[in-house]
PDB file of all heavy atoms in Angstrom:
ATOM      1  N   LYS O  83     -24.720 -25.797  14.650  1.00 85.00           N
ATOM      2  CA  LYS O  83     -25.557 -24.816  15.408  1.00 85.00           C
ATOM      3  C   LYS O  83     -24.813 -23.523  15.569  1.00 85.00           C
ATOM      4  O   LYS O  83     -25.418 -22.462  15.471  1.00 85.00           O
ATOM      5  CB  LYS O  83     -26.026 -25.379  16.725  1.00 85.00           C
ATOM      6  CG  LYS O  83     -27.024 -26.562  16.562  1.00 85.00           C
ATOM      7  CD  LYS O  83     -27.458 -27.079  17.931  1.00 85.00           C
ATOM      8  CE  LYS O  83     -28.477 -28.234  17.734  1.00 85.00           C
ATOM      9  NZ  LYS O  83     -28.932 -28.794  19.065  1.00 85.00           N
ATOM     10  N   ALA O  84     -23.543 -23.599  15.924  1.00 86.00           N
ATOM     11  CA  ALA O  84     -22.738 -22.370  16.080  1.00 86.00           C
ATOM     12  C   ALA O  84     -22.597 -21.628  14.738  1.00 86.00           C
ATOM     13  O   ALA O  84     -22.615 -20.410  14.710  1.00 86.00           O
ATOM     14  CB  ALA O  84     -21.328 -22.716  16.633  1.00 86.00           C
ATOM     15  N   LEU O  85     -22.450 -22.334  13.641  1.00 86.00           N
ATOM     16  CA  LEU O  85     -22.379 -21.725  12.324  1.00 86.00           C
ATOM     17  C   LEU O  85     -23.631 -20.936  12.025  1.00 86.00           C
ATOM     18  O   LEU O  85     -23.567 -19.863  11.432  1.00 86.00           O
ATOM     19  CB  LEU O  85     -22.112 -22.774  11.262  1.00 86.00           C
ATOM     20  CG  LEU O  85     -20.896 -23.675  11.378  1.00 86.00           C
ATOM     21  CD1 LEU O  85     -20.700 -24.523  10.117  1.00 86.00           C
ATOM     22  CD2 LEU O  85     -19.646 -22.836  11.654  1.00 86.00           C
ATOM     23  N   ALA O  86     -24.775 -21.501  12.379  1.00 85.00           N
ATOM     24  CA  ALA O  86     -26.078 -20.801  12.155  1.00 85.00           C
ATOM     25  C   ALA O  86     -26.195 -19.562  13.000  1.00 85.00           C
ATOM     26  O   ALA O  86     -26.637 -18.503  12.474  1.00 85.00           O
ATOM     27  CB  ALA O  86     -27.217 -21.794  12.426  1.00 85.00           C
ATOM     28  N   VAL O  87     -25.834 -19.652  14.273  1.00 87.00           N
ATOM     29  CA  VAL O  87     -25.876 -18.477  15.153  1.00 87.00           C
ATOM     30  C   VAL O  87     -24.939 -17.345  14.672  1.00 87.00           C
ATOM     31  O   VAL O  87     -25.336 -16.193  14.581  1.00 87.00           O
ATOM     32  CB  VAL O  87     -25.560 -18.890  16.588  1.00 87.00           C
ATOM     33  CG1 VAL O  87     -25.412 -17.630  17.465  1.00 87.00           C
ATOM     34  CG2 VAL O  87     -26.581 -19.815  17.161  1.00 87.00           C
ATOM     35  N   LEU O  88     -23.711 -17.737  14.344  1.00 86.00           N
ATOM     36  CA  LEU O  88     -22.736 -16.771  13.872  1.00 86.00           C
ATOM     37  C   LEU O  88     -23.233 -16.108  12.559  1.00 86.00           C
ATOM     38  O   LEU O  88     -23.133 -14.878  12.387  1.00 86.00           O
ATOM     39  CB  LEU O  88     -21.401 -17.411  13.611  1.00 86.00           C
ATOM     40  CG  LEU O  88     -20.298 -16.549  13.067  1.00 86.00           C
ATOM     41  CD1 LEU O  88     -19.972 -15.379  13.990  1.00 86.00           C
ATOM     42  CD2 LEU O  88     -19.007 -17.370  12.775  1.00 86.00           C
ATOM     43  N   GLY O  89     -23.771 -16.931  11.611  1.00 85.00           N
ATOM     44  CA  GLY O  89     -24.266 -16.386  10.400  1.00 85.00           C
ATOM     45  C   GLY O  89     -25.424 -15.406  10.597  1.00 85.00           C
ATOM     46  O   GLY O  89     -25.509 -14.425   9.902  1.00 85.00           O
ATOM     47  N   SER O  90     -26.318 -15.690  11.539  1.00 86.00           N
ATOM     48  CA  SER O  90     -27.432 -14.842  11.857  1.00 86.00           C
ATOM     49  C   SER O  90     -26.976 -13.459  12.313  1.00 86.00           C
ATOM     50  O   SER O  90     -27.697 -12.468  12.073  1.00 86.00           O
ATOM     51  CB  SER O  90     -28.364 -15.463  12.921  1.00 86.00           C
ATOM     52  OG  SER O  90     -28.912 -16.702  12.496  1.00 86.00           O
ATOM     53  N   ILE O  91     -25.861 -13.396  12.996  1.00 86.00           N
ATOM     54  CA  ILE O  91     -25.345 -12.139  13.473  1.00 86.00           C
ATOM     55  C   ILE O  91     -24.503 -11.455  12.379  1.00 86.00           C
ATOM     56  O   ILE O  91     -24.656 -10.201  12.125  1.00 86.00           O
ATOM     57  CB  ILE O  91     -24.435 -12.324  14.722  1.00 86.00           C
ATOM     58  CG1 ILE O  91     -25.270 -12.892  15.878  1.00 86.00           C
ATOM     59  CG2 ILE O  91     -23.802 -11.040  15.170  1.00 86.00           C
ATOM     60  CD1 ILE O  91     -24.455 -13.418  17.029  1.00 86.00           C
ATOM     61  N   ALA O  92     -23.649 -12.205  11.772  1.00 84.00           N
ATOM     62  CA  ALA O  92     -22.677 -11.619  10.834  1.00 84.00           C
ATOM     63  C   ALA O  92     -23.244 -11.153   9.520  1.00 84.00           C
ATOM     64  O   ALA O  92     -22.927 -10.101   8.983  1.00 84.00           O
ATOM     65  CB  ALA O  92     -21.556 -12.616  10.554  1.00 84.00           C
ATOM     66  N   VAL O  93     -24.181 -11.923   8.950  1.00 84.00           N
ATOM     67  CA  VAL O  93     -24.735 -11.630   7.624  1.00 84.00           C
ATOM     68  C   VAL O  93     -25.383 -10.266   7.608  1.00 84.00           C
ATOM     69  O   VAL O  93     -25.106  -9.477   6.725  1.00 84.00           O
ATOM     70  CB  VAL O  93     -25.678 -12.760   7.180  1.00 84.00           C
ATOM     71  CG1 VAL O  93     -26.497 -12.358   5.922  1.00 84.00           C
ATOM     72  CG2 VAL O  93     -24.848 -14.028   6.811  1.00 84.00           C
ATOM     73  N   PRO O  94     -26.337  -9.938   8.527  1.00 86.00           N
ATOM     74  CA  PRO O  94     -26.963  -8.654   8.488  1.00 86.00           C
ATOM     75  C   PRO O  94     -25.959  -7.492   8.625  1.00 86.00           C
ATOM     76  O   PRO O  94     -26.082  -6.432   7.992  1.00 86.00           O
ATOM     77  CB  PRO O  94     -27.966  -8.650   9.646  1.00 86.00           C
ATOM     78  CG  PRO O  94     -28.247 -10.113   9.877  1.00 86.00           C
ATOM     79  CD  PRO O  94     -26.944 -10.819   9.598  1.00 86.00           C
ATOM     80  N   LEU O  95     -24.960  -7.675   9.572  1.00 83.00           N
ATOM     81  CA  LEU O  95     -23.970  -6.624   9.791  1.00 83.00           C
ATOM     82  C   LEU O  95     -23.131  -6.345   8.553  1.00 83.00           C
ATOM     83  O   LEU O  95     -22.864  -5.186   8.170  1.00 83.00           O
ATOM     84  CB  LEU O  95     -23.059  -7.001  10.966  1.00 83.00           C
ATOM     85  CG  LEU O  95     -23.739  -6.937  12.347  1.00 83.00           C
ATOM     86  CD1 LEU O  95     -22.734  -7.420  13.449  1.00 83.00           C
ATOM     87  CD2 LEU O  95     -24.190  -5.534  12.682  1.00 83.00           C
ATOM     88  N   ILE O  96     -22.712  -7.433   7.872  1.00 82.00           N
ATOM     89  CA  ILE O  96     -21.874  -7.269   6.718  1.00 82.00           C
ATOM     90  C   ILE O  96     -22.719  -6.605   5.603  1.00 82.00           C
ATOM     91  O   ILE O  96     -22.256  -5.690   4.848  1.00 82.00           O
ATOM     92  CB  ILE O  96     -21.396  -8.658   6.204  1.00 82.00           C
ATOM     93  CG1 ILE O  96     -20.419  -9.251   7.222  1.00 82.00           C
ATOM     94  CG2 ILE O  96     -20.741  -8.534   4.854  1.00 82.00           C
ATOM     95  CD1 ILE O  96     -20.113 -10.674   6.945  1.00 82.00           C
ATOM     96  N   ALA O  97     -24.015  -7.026   5.488  1.00 84.00           N
ATOM     97  CA  ALA O  97     -24.886  -6.415   4.478  1.00 84.00           C
ATOM     98  C   ALA O  97     -25.084  -4.902   4.702  1.00 84.00           C
ATOM     99  O   ALA O  97     -25.038  -4.129   3.773  1.00 84.00           O
ATOM    100  CB  ALA O  97     -26.250  -7.123   4.531  1.00 84.00           C
ATOM    101  N   ILE O  98     -25.305  -4.481   5.948  1.00 84.00           N
ATOM    102  CA  ILE O  98     -25.489  -3.070   6.276  1.00 84.00           C
ATOM    103  C   ILE O  98     -24.240  -2.267   5.855  1.00 84.00           C
ATOM    104  O   ILE O  98     -24.349  -1.237   5.238  1.00 84.00           O
ATOM    105  CB  ILE O  98     -25.780  -2.916   7.787  1.00 84.00           C
ATOM    106  CG1 ILE O  98     -27.156  -3.464   8.110  1.00 84.00           C
ATOM    107  CG2 ILE O  98     -25.705  -1.459   8.225  1.00 84.00           C
ATOM    108  CD1 ILE O  98     -27.473  -3.570   9.580  1.00 84.00           C
ATOM    109  N   LEU O  99     -23.081  -2.750   6.275  1.00 81.00           N
ATOM    110  CA  LEU O  99     -21.846  -1.980   5.945  1.00 81.00           C
ATOM    111  C   LEU O  99     -21.604  -1.964   4.468  1.00 81.00           C
ATOM    112  O   LEU O  99     -21.185  -0.944   3.877  1.00 81.00           O
ATOM    113  CB  LEU O  99     -20.653  -2.593   6.696  1.00 81.00           C
ATOM    114  CG  LEU O  99     -19.324  -1.796   6.525  1.00 81.00           C
ATOM    115  CD1 LEU O  99     -19.494  -0.368   7.115  1.00 81.00           C
ATOM    116  CD2 LEU O  99     -18.208  -2.497   7.217  1.00 81.00           C
ATOM    117  N   GLY O 100     -21.897  -3.091   3.774  1.00 82.00           N
ATOM    118  CA  GLY O 100     -21.769  -3.147   2.305  1.00 82.00           C
ATOM    119  C   GLY O 100     -22.649  -2.170   1.630  1.00 82.00           C
ATOM    120  O   GLY O 100     -22.222  -1.486   0.683  1.00 82.00           O
ATOM    121  N   VAL O 101     -23.908  -2.067   2.091  1.00 86.00           N
ATOM    122  CA  VAL O 101     -24.851  -1.118   1.462  1.00 86.00           C
ATOM    123  C   VAL O 101     -24.357   0.330   1.650  1.00 86.00           C
ATOM    124  O   VAL O 101     -24.434   1.146   0.755  1.00 86.00           O
ATOM    125  CB  VAL O 101     -26.261  -1.272   2.072  1.00 86.00           C
ATOM    126  CG1 VAL O 101     -27.163  -0.160   1.677  1.00 86.00           C
ATOM    127  CG2 VAL O 101     -26.887  -2.586   1.653  1.00 86.00           C
ATOM    128  N   TYR O 102     -23.788   0.612   2.856  1.00 83.00           N
ATOM    129  CA  TYR O 102     -23.280   1.938   3.125  1.00 83.00           C
ATOM    130  C   TYR O 102     -22.114   2.262   2.178  1.00 83.00           C
ATOM    131  O   TYR O 102     -22.006   3.357   1.619  1.00 83.00           O
ATOM    132  CB  TYR O 102     -22.815   2.067   4.589  1.00 83.00           C
ATOM    133  CG  TYR O 102     -22.163   3.447   4.879  1.00 83.00           C
ATOM    134  CD1 TYR O 102     -22.988   4.509   5.243  1.00 83.00           C
ATOM    135  CD2 TYR O 102     -20.788   3.630   4.797  1.00 83.00           C
ATOM    136  CE1 TYR O 102     -22.405   5.752   5.533  1.00 83.00           C
ATOM    137  CE2 TYR O 102     -20.241   4.880   5.027  1.00 83.00           C
ATOM    138  CZ  TYR O 102     -21.044   5.903   5.396  1.00 83.00           C
ATOM    139  OH  TYR O 102     -20.452   7.136   5.632  1.00 83.00           O
ATOM    140  N   SER O 103     -21.198   1.273   2.027  1.00 81.00           N
ATOM    141  CA  SER O 103     -20.052   1.429   1.140  1.00 81.00           C
ATOM    142  C   SER O 103     -20.483   1.721  -0.306  1.00 81.00           C
ATOM    143  O   SER O 103     -19.926   2.560  -0.950  1.00 81.00           O
ATOM    144  CB  SER O 103     -19.171   0.225   1.195  1.00 81.00           C
ATOM    145  OG  SER O 103     -18.023   0.305   0.346  1.00 81.00           O
ATOM    146  N   VAL O 104     -21.472   0.945  -0.771  1.00 85.00           N
ATOM    147  CA  VAL O 104     -21.944   1.120  -2.158  1.00 85.00           C
ATOM    148  C   VAL O 104     -22.642   2.537  -2.276  1.00 85.00           C
ATOM    149  O   VAL O 104     -22.415   3.178  -3.253  1.00 85.00           O
ATOM    150  CB  VAL O 104     -22.965   0.043  -2.501  1.00 85.00           C
ATOM    151  CG1 VAL O 104     -23.720   0.353  -3.826  1.00 85.00           C
ATOM    152  CG2 VAL O 104     -22.244  -1.350  -2.697  1.00 85.00           C
ATOM    153  N   SER O 105     -23.411   2.906  -1.289  1.00 86.00           N
ATOM    154  CA  SER O 105     -24.082   4.201  -1.305  1.00 86.00           C
ATOM    155  C   SER O 105     -23.016   5.330  -1.401  1.00 86.00           C
ATOM    156  O   SER O 105     -23.197   6.312  -2.182  1.00 86.00           O
ATOM    157  CB  SER O 105     -24.913   4.405  -0.107  1.00 86.00           C
ATOM    158  OG  SER O 105     -25.990   3.439  -0.047  1.00 86.00           O
ATOM    159  N   TRP O 106     -21.960   5.209  -0.602  1.00 83.00           N
ATOM    160  CA  TRP O 106     -20.855   6.141  -0.683  1.00 83.00           C
ATOM    161  C   TRP O 106     -20.223   6.252  -2.038  1.00 83.00           C
ATOM    162  O   TRP O 106     -20.003   7.310  -2.591  1.00 83.00           O
ATOM    163  CB  TRP O 106     -19.826   5.787   0.367  1.00 83.00           C
ATOM    164  CG  TRP O 106     -18.603   6.714   0.353  1.00 83.00           C
ATOM    165  CD1 TRP O 106     -18.455   7.846   1.096  1.00 83.00           C
ATOM    166  CD2 TRP O 106     -17.424   6.565  -0.396  1.00 83.00           C
ATOM    167  NE1 TRP O 106     -17.242   8.407   0.864  1.00 83.00           N
ATOM    168  CE2 TRP O 106     -16.548   7.646  -0.076  1.00 83.00           C
ATOM    169  CE3 TRP O 106     -16.971   5.608  -1.344  1.00 83.00           C
ATOM    170  CZ2 TRP O 106     -15.300   7.805  -0.636  1.00 83.00           C
ATOM    171  CZ3 TRP O 106     -15.731   5.785  -1.928  1.00 83.00           C
ATOM    172  CH2 TRP O 106     -14.893   6.857  -1.552  1.00 83.00           C
ATOM    173  N   GLY O 107     -19.964   5.039  -2.618  1.00 82.00           N
ATOM    174  CA  GLY O 107     -19.318   5.025  -3.958  1.00 82.00           C
ATOM    175  C   GLY O 107     -20.203   5.623  -5.021  1.00 82.00           C
ATOM    176  O   GLY O 107     -19.734   6.381  -5.841  1.00 82.00           O
ATOM    177  N   VAL O 108     -21.464   5.271  -5.003  1.00 85.00           N
ATOM    178  CA  VAL O 108     -22.434   5.861  -5.980  1.00 85.00           C
ATOM    179  C   VAL O 108     -22.514   7.366  -5.845  1.00 85.00           C
ATOM    180  O   VAL O 108     -22.591   8.072  -6.817  1.00 85.00           O
ATOM    181  CB  VAL O 108     -23.799   5.140  -5.870  1.00 85.00           C
ATOM    182  CG1 VAL O 108     -24.851   5.848  -6.731  1.00 85.00           C
ATOM    183  CG2 VAL O 108     -23.689   3.679  -6.212  1.00 85.00           C
ATOM    184  N   GLY O 109     -22.562   7.809  -4.587  1.00 85.00           N
ATOM    185  CA  GLY O 109     -22.638   9.233  -4.323  1.00 85.00           C
ATOM    186  C   GLY O 109     -21.445   9.999  -4.820  1.00 85.00           C
ATOM    187  O   GLY O 109     -21.571  11.174  -5.235  1.00 85.00           O
ATOM    188  N   GLN O 110     -20.274   9.381  -4.758  1.00 81.00           N
ATOM    189  CA  GLN O 110     -19.019  10.013  -5.215  1.00 81.00           C
ATOM    190  C   GLN O 110     -19.019  10.343  -6.729  1.00 81.00           C
ATOM    191  O   GLN O 110     -18.394  11.301  -7.122  1.00 81.00           O
ATOM    192  CB  GLN O 110     -17.845   9.103  -4.877  1.00 81.00           C
ATOM    193  CG  GLN O 110     -17.479   9.008  -3.390  1.00 81.00           C
ATOM    194  CD  GLN O 110     -16.986  10.309  -2.807  1.00 81.00           C
ATOM    195  OE1 GLN O 110     -17.650  10.974  -2.057  1.00 81.00           O
ATOM    196  NE2 GLN O 110     -15.822  10.686  -3.104  1.00 81.00           N
ATOM    197  N   VAL O 111     -19.766   9.511  -7.508  1.00 80.00           N
ATOM    198  CA  VAL O 111     -19.687   9.672  -8.939  1.00 80.00           C
ATOM    199  C   VAL O 111     -20.998  10.149  -9.543  1.00 80.00           C
ATOM    200  O   VAL O 111     -21.134  10.233 -10.769  1.00 80.00           O
ATOM    201  CB  VAL O 111     -19.233   8.348  -9.629  1.00 80.00           C
ATOM    202  CG1 VAL O 111     -17.803   8.012  -9.268  1.00 80.00           C
ATOM    203  CG2 VAL O 111     -20.154   7.174  -9.310  1.00 80.00           C
ATOM    204  N   GLY O 112     -21.992  10.385  -8.704  1.00 80.00           N
ATOM    205  CA  GLY O 112     -23.229  10.950  -9.196  1.00 80.00           C
ATOM    206  C   GLY O 112     -24.223   9.998  -9.779  1.00 80.00           C
ATOM    207  O   GLY O 112     -24.987  10.344 -10.669  1.00 80.00           O
ATOM    208  N   GLY O 113     -24.242   8.738  -9.305  1.00 78.00           N
ATOM    209  CA  GLY O 113     -25.192   7.747  -9.814  1.00 78.00           C
ATOM    210  C   GLY O 113     -24.590   6.426 -10.196  1.00 78.00           C
ATOM    211  O   GLY O 113     -23.403   6.382 -10.573  1.00 78.00           O
ATOM    212  N   PHE O 114     -25.395   5.387 -10.161  1.00 76.00           N
ATOM    213  CA  PHE O 114     -24.883   4.006 -10.400  1.00 76.00           C
ATOM    214  C   PHE O 114     -24.319   3.900 -11.778  1.00 76.00           C
ATOM    215  O   PHE O 114     -23.347   3.168 -12.046  1.00 76.00           O
ATOM    216  CB  PHE O 114     -25.993   2.996 -10.128  1.00 76.00           C
ATOM    217  CG  PHE O 114     -25.481   1.559 -10.100  1.00 76.00           C
ATOM    218  CD1 PHE O 114     -24.791   1.054  -8.962  1.00 76.00           C
ATOM    219  CD2 PHE O 114     -25.619   0.735 -11.164  1.00 76.00           C
ATOM    220  CE1 PHE O 114     -24.325  -0.232  -8.958  1.00 76.00           C
ATOM    221  CE2 PHE O 114     -25.198  -0.590 -11.158  1.00 76.00           C
ATOM    222  CZ  PHE O 114     -24.521  -1.064 -10.034  1.00 76.00           C
ATOM    223  N   THR O 115     -24.994   4.458 -12.769  1.00 76.00           N
ATOM    224  CA  THR O 115     -24.532   4.336 -14.152  1.00 76.00           C
ATOM    225  C   THR O 115     -23.198   4.937 -14.400  1.00 76.00           C
ATOM    226  O   THR O 115     -22.508   4.635 -15.401  1.00 76.00           O
ATOM    227  CB  THR O 115     -25.602   4.976 -15.094  1.00 76.00           C
ATOM    228  OG1 THR O 115     -25.841   6.323 -14.753  1.00 76.00           O
ATOM    229  CG2 THR O 115     -26.869   4.169 -15.064  1.00 76.00           C
ATOM    230  N   ASN O 116     -22.768   5.854 -13.525  1.00 79.00           N
ATOM    231  CA  ASN O 116     -21.458   6.472 -13.666  1.00 79.00           C
ATOM    232  C   ASN O 116     -20.315   5.779 -12.919  1.00 79.00           C
ATOM    233  O   ASN O 116     -19.154   6.163 -13.024  1.00 79.00           O
ATOM    234  CB  ASN O 116     -21.538   7.938 -13.147  1.00 79.00           C
ATOM    235  CG  ASN O 116     -22.545   8.780 -13.893  1.00 79.00           C
ATOM    236  OD1 ASN O 116     -22.717   8.632 -15.101  1.00 79.00           O
ATOM    237  ND2 ASN O 116     -23.185   9.729 -13.180  1.00 79.00           N
ATOM    238  N   VAL O 117     -20.659   4.705 -12.286  1.00 81.00           N
ATOM    239  CA  VAL O 117     -19.646   3.956 -11.508  1.00 81.00           C
ATOM    240  C   VAL O 117     -18.649   3.299 -12.431  1.00 81.00           C
ATOM    241  O   VAL O 117     -17.435   3.388 -12.206  1.00 81.00           O
ATOM    242  CB  VAL O 117     -20.308   2.956 -10.551  1.00 81.00           C
ATOM    243  CG1 VAL O 117     -19.251   1.997  -9.953  1.00 81.00           C
ATOM    244  CG2 VAL O 117     -21.133   3.603  -9.467  1.00 81.00           C
ATOM    245  N   PHE O 118     -19.118   2.616 -13.422  1.00 82.00           N
ATOM    246  CA  PHE O 118     -18.274   1.793 -14.259  1.00 82.00           C
ATOM    247  C   PHE O 118     -17.842   2.609 -15.508  1.00 82.00           C
ATOM    248  O   PHE O 118     -18.618   3.213 -16.153  1.00 82.00           O
ATOM    249  CB  PHE O 118     -19.016   0.546 -14.691  1.00 82.00           C
ATOM    250  CG  PHE O 118     -19.385  -0.369 -13.566  1.00 82.00           C
ATOM    251  CD1 PHE O 118     -20.597  -0.162 -12.867  1.00 82.00           C
ATOM    252  CD2 PHE O 118     -18.564  -1.374 -13.161  1.00 82.00           C
ATOM    253  CE1 PHE O 118     -20.973  -0.997 -11.805  1.00 82.00           C
ATOM    254  CE2 PHE O 118     -18.941  -2.141 -12.107  1.00 82.00           C
ATOM    255  CZ  PHE O 118     -20.154  -1.998 -11.419  1.00 82.00           C
ATOM    256  N   ALA O 119     -16.528   2.480 -15.816  1.00 76.00           N
ATOM    257  CA  ALA O 119     -15.983   3.105 -17.036  1.00 76.00           C
ATOM    258  C   ALA O 119     -16.528   2.360 -18.271  1.00 76.00           C
ATOM    259  O   ALA O 119     -16.606   1.142 -18.246  1.00 76.00           O
ATOM    260  CB  ALA O 119     -14.459   3.100 -17.014  1.00 76.00           C
ATOM    261  N   GLU O 120     -16.863   3.185 -19.293  1.00 81.00           N
ATOM    262  CA  GLU O 120     -17.362   2.562 -20.497  1.00 81.00           C
ATOM    263  C   GLU O 120     -16.265   1.752 -21.236  1.00 81.00           C
ATOM    264  O   GLU O 120     -16.467   0.734 -21.799  1.00 81.00           O
ATOM    265  CB  GLU O 120     -17.959   3.568 -21.445  1.00 81.00           C
ATOM    266  CG  GLU O 120     -18.648   3.019 -22.653  1.00 81.00           C
ATOM    267  CD  GLU O 120     -19.798   2.061 -22.340  1.00 81.00           C
ATOM    268  OE1 GLU O 120     -20.528   2.323 -21.333  1.00 81.00           O
ATOM    269  OE2 GLU O 120     -20.000   1.043 -23.061  1.00 81.00           O
ATOM    270  N   HIS O 121     -15.012   2.305 -21.071  1.00 78.00           N
ATOM    271  CA  HIS O 121     -13.862   1.678 -21.707  1.00 78.00           C
ATOM    272  C   HIS O 121     -12.744   1.570 -20.693  1.00 78.00           C
ATOM    273  O   HIS O 121     -11.878   2.440 -20.636  1.00 78.00           O
ATOM    274  CB  HIS O 121     -13.444   2.427 -22.958  1.00 78.00           C
ATOM    275  CG  HIS O 121     -14.479   2.575 -24.025  1.00 78.00           C
ATOM    276  ND1 HIS O 121     -14.904   1.551 -24.787  1.00 78.00           N
ATOM    277  CD2 HIS O 121     -15.197   3.700 -24.382  1.00 78.00           C
ATOM    278  CE1 HIS O 121     -15.848   1.932 -25.579  1.00 78.00           C
ATOM    279  NE2 HIS O 121     -16.064   3.242 -25.394  1.00 78.00           N
ATOM    280  N   PRO O 122     -12.701   0.525 -19.861  1.00 83.00           N
ATOM    281  CA  PRO O 122     -11.672   0.352 -18.880  1.00 83.00           C
ATOM    282  C   PRO O 122     -10.254   0.327 -19.500  1.00 83.00           C
ATOM    283  O   PRO O 122     -10.093  -0.144 -20.644  1.00 83.00           O
ATOM    284  CB  PRO O 122     -11.975  -0.997 -18.187  1.00 83.00           C
ATOM    285  CG  PRO O 122     -13.441  -1.241 -18.524  1.00 83.00           C
ATOM    286  CD  PRO O 122     -13.693  -0.599 -19.869  1.00 83.00           C
ATOM    287  N   GLU O 123      -9.259   0.793 -18.731  1.00 81.00           N
ATOM    288  CA  GLU O 123      -7.899   0.844 -19.234  1.00 81.00           C
ATOM    289  C   GLU O 123      -7.365  -0.578 -19.533  1.00 81.00           C
ATOM    290  O   GLU O 123      -6.696  -0.776 -20.529  1.00 81.00           O
ATOM    291  CB  GLU O 123      -6.990   1.510 -18.189  1.00 81.00           C
ATOM    292  CG  GLU O 123      -7.240   3.024 -18.085  1.00 81.00           C
ATOM    293  CD  GLU O 123      -6.253   3.713 -17.142  1.00 81.00           C
ATOM    294  OE1 GLU O 123      -5.233   3.054 -16.785  1.00 81.00           O
ATOM    295  OE2 GLU O 123      -6.445   4.846 -16.796  1.00 81.00           O
TER     296      GLU O 123
END
């Protein structure tokens, strides 16, 4: 029961911060298709 309660709180918060982080990263390079190098080192 404690695992379920903790998950109900933690999962949305982690998701929100993750979405923010992704949005920041995409914004830095001008779009999602520009995130990944075509030929990584």
Side-chain angles (χ1 to χ4, degrees):
K83 291 182 179 178
L85 302 188
V87 172
L88 178 62
S90 297
I91 299 169
V93 167
L95 289 175
I96 295 168
I98 291 169
L99 188 60
V101 169
Y102 178 86
S103 177
V104 169
S105 299
W106 178 90
V108 171
Q110 289 292 108
V111 295
F114 190 78
T115 55
N116 298 327
V117 171
F118 298 86
E120 187 59 37
H121 302 289
E123 289 185 13

